[in-house]
Amino acid sequence: MAEFLLHVNGAPLHVNAPADESLLSVLRNRLHLTGPKYGCGEGQCGACTVLLDGEATRSCLVAVGSVANAKIVTIEGLEQNGKLSAVQQAFLDEGAFQCGYCTSGMILSATSLLQRTHKPTEQQIVEAMDGNLCRCGTYPRIVAAIQRAAQSMPAKGASR
Amino acid sequence: MSLHDQSSPEFARGSYHEASRSVQLDRRDFLKVLGGGVLVCLTPTSAWTQESGRTFGGHELPKDVSAWLHIAAVGKVTVFTGKVEVGQNIRTSLAQQVAEELRVPFDSITMVMGDTDLTPWDMGTFGSRTTPTMGPQLRTMAAAARETLVQMAAQRWQVDAATLTAADGKVTDSKQSRSLTYGELTRGEKLVKIVSSEERLTPVTDWKIAGTAVPKVGGRDFVTGAHKFPSDMVLPEMRFGAVLRPDGFNATLASLDTSAAEKLHGVQVVRDGDFVGVVAPDAYTAQHALSAIQAKWNVPAQPSNEGLYEYLKNNPESSGEESPQHVAGSVTQAIASADLQLENQYTVAYIAHAPLEPRAAVATWADGRLTVWTGTQRPFGVRDELVQAFHLPAAQVRVIHPDMGSGYGGKHTGEAAIEAARLSKAAGKPVKVIWTRQEEFTWAYLRPAGLIEIKAGARRDGTLVAWEHHNYNSGPAAIGTPYDVANQIIQYHPARSPLRQGSYRGLAATANHFARESHMDALAHAAGLDPLAFRLKNISDTRLRAVLQAAAEKFGWGREKSTPGRGFGMACGTDKGGYIATCAEVGIDPASRKVRIRRIVEAWESGAIVNPDGLRNQVMGAIVQSIGGALFEQILFANGRILNPHFAQYRLPRFSDVPRIEVVLLERKDIPSAGAGETGIVGLAPAVANAIFAATGTRLRSMPMAPLHKEQHASSAQFHS
Ligand code: FES
Ligand code: FES
């Protein structure tokens, strides 16, 4: 056990955890941020995706000891002053989920994609999102939601 | 037709559906829980209707109630049903139907679902039963509630109820230009109304809220992460549990050393026979403790994939009880005299549901009473499992279902609930258990594998004359042919499955459609007829004809001929009141034999549409899910072990597998709504098989058709003929 200072959703948080515990486990079980989900623990499904310095990252594969200096954003950190992010809003508008278990990871992967590529082609969306599983099969709506979000975002990608 | 459809092979032999109706309604004090207002209960026993209008203190309510609805003094409506929301959107579609009949705004309705203390007993959420059964039941109650409110207003104003109208949460007397809100009417009342299913329902053609694309209830919570799934539940003082798994199925414990695990800080090892589990202060330590346990298991020799289908054919279920055989005319004679005869075998592999949220439960004991939050399609079934496991009266067990990360027929059982309860009992603290992905692949149950043998005969002009269809192990769902055939033998043969098997979205309808529709395609080619023309020639069911023609038209069937690189195929069928036709275009690289599904058009009709957006989402999802079973999903096993229990080895459909999909919804407002969560899954596999044949001349008769090899990770799958 060691104490770590994490930067999560803009706030400094102290947490006691073994250095090799996964970031996913720490977020969910020690910090009670249950937005990131466990789907496989092996980097294969994307349900656990968070942003690490803006990059979509599988939190199940990252040891908490290695992220002390990074800025971590979970799904809980996207909404600002009661306003959904463009990607969240687009998922809601397209109804891009069924059970919703994959949604948090999908939204963070899409957020990261749109930060890199403001107007992705369908092919770019598919490539960027292929590591995220939706067992309910809502992929076509998720693609539509990402396109919608891309449309609605300011050209400079200032929106998070 | 005498074939009976069993909703779940695993439970088919038991009479579990009647297992418990032990909810003691009279023990609930509705006054306390609901605080007055109007309570409407629905019972199929019409005797109760005579007694409607009683006040609720003290006396016994009917035991056989399927749902209830409460209108509080402020006009808020709460509906209680034992059904569960798992992504199929019934929390929304059921509320729409209540709002419609009750004439209230949609958002004044709260659905309380799948809580064994609060909701009436329910068999479970499967078999596409919610829309055709719970829908009309809730509508009936809501209509009765509305009538009651109108009566109450009539009494208060001393006017004839027929002169009053109910709309927008109010009863209005337009003659006197006065109105009372439902809240004003129910204030101070304590009224129970018991109804049976004889109310007059609003005709579908008059629907204003039902039938529209109301967005998913609570949708915002899914995009903000606020929604709490079963695995997100947290209780004060909660501990984390994990269970030691055997090295294989049917294994027995040979030796066990838990000393290292016990030395870990805060860890408790729980042992009860061959059950070994750990409880730890955090999830990390629980897994750590588990891996510190040294155990040796004796695993008996068991069957493997190799020779599975012969095994299923040669190992009938030992009860000796064959399923009923459907016979019409004489198949033997008709085949002997047919111009065309065709006989073949088809197989489907075991596949896993792989819900993205694995089994999860949080259990807590207080004063001998057990409460479990868990993800299951059968909260009352899980309660019964707990009652048995812990020898408790049913009233001492409560199962609560937070809307879960889906199930697809895979979460009928309560394994994690029992494990959490067991560990919690030993620890004296609440305990959470979440299965790992590997546990979910290994210790849950699977969609049955199966062998299907079909023999058919047709006249030269394409008229079907004989059809013989035997299904070994996979199941009887949609086994009956929807085509007009005078001579038939159709039979399901239950087998002793070497792996644990159970329900799955669509059950055996996928396997039976794959075999039947592939065989029909082969017959069409043998007869030299276009597959569409051949089907239409043999279908008199107008609903099936309608979807087939709609799909063909949208797809542009017949506009282009298949080439070696590009094939077109179709399939159609019906199950559980849903009608479906699917057209597929596949692309094939002639050199590598890699196949890619390029386009799917699916036409769907399931009577009146309750929510077109939800329906589209379900049909689309079913199409996407079916890509996996059609092309690459299969469980590999040997000697009591699953060989591919990880997503890296068991490929699920991903973004890159998804073709262009067009869903054509046909609506029949004159036909009661059927459930739509399942049958959308049955058309893709045969349509794709038929398209591959059209392109290559190779008939693929085994699902998956293009299993992936270890090294393959491309989105396109290769098939081997
Ligand atoms: S849980 Fe991290 S990728 Fe699946
Ligand atoms: S919505 Fe259920 S897994 Fe994506």
Side-chain angles (χ1 to χ4, degrees), chain B residues 398-453:
Chain B
R398 178 179 187 183
V399 173
I400 303 170
H401 177 266
D403 298 1
M404 68 174 169
S406 210
Y408 323 108
K411 287 183 183 162
H412 285 197
T413 46
E415 298 86 351
I418 293 176
E419 289 161 4
R422 230 168 168 174
L423 295 173
S424 169
K425 195 173 184 191
K429 294 253 166 38
V431 169
K432 178 193 275 200
V433 169
I434 302 179
W435 280 20
T436 64
R437 180 53 55 192
Q438 179 164 7
E439 287 178 299
E440 184 68 35
F441 265 118
T442 309
W443 300 100
Y445 54 86
L446 303 167
R447 183 191 77 179
L451 168 70
I452 295 172
E453 295 178 336

Side-chain angles (χ1 to χ4, degrees), chain A residues 24 37-49 58-61:
Chain A
L24 175 65
K37 304 295 182 212
Y38 169 88
C40 68
E42 299 168 342
Q44 294 289 328
C45 75
C48 63
T49 303
R58 308 291 180 240
S59 66
C60 69
L61 294 184

Side-chain angles (χ1 to χ4, degrees), chain B residues 592-631:
Chain B
S592 67
R593 313 271 280 173
K594 281 196 172 168
V595 53
R596 201 186 147 72
I597 306 172
R598 286 198 187 141
R599 183 179 174 219
I600 294 289
V601 171
E602 188 155 295
W604 172 263
E605 188 259 293
S606 53
I609 297 174
V610 181
N611 184 322
D613 184 62
L615 178 58
R616 245 171 225 290
N617 208 355
Q618 279 303 302
V619 175
M620 177 83 86
I623 293 170
V624 172
Q625 192 163 43
S626 65
I627 294 170
L631 291 186

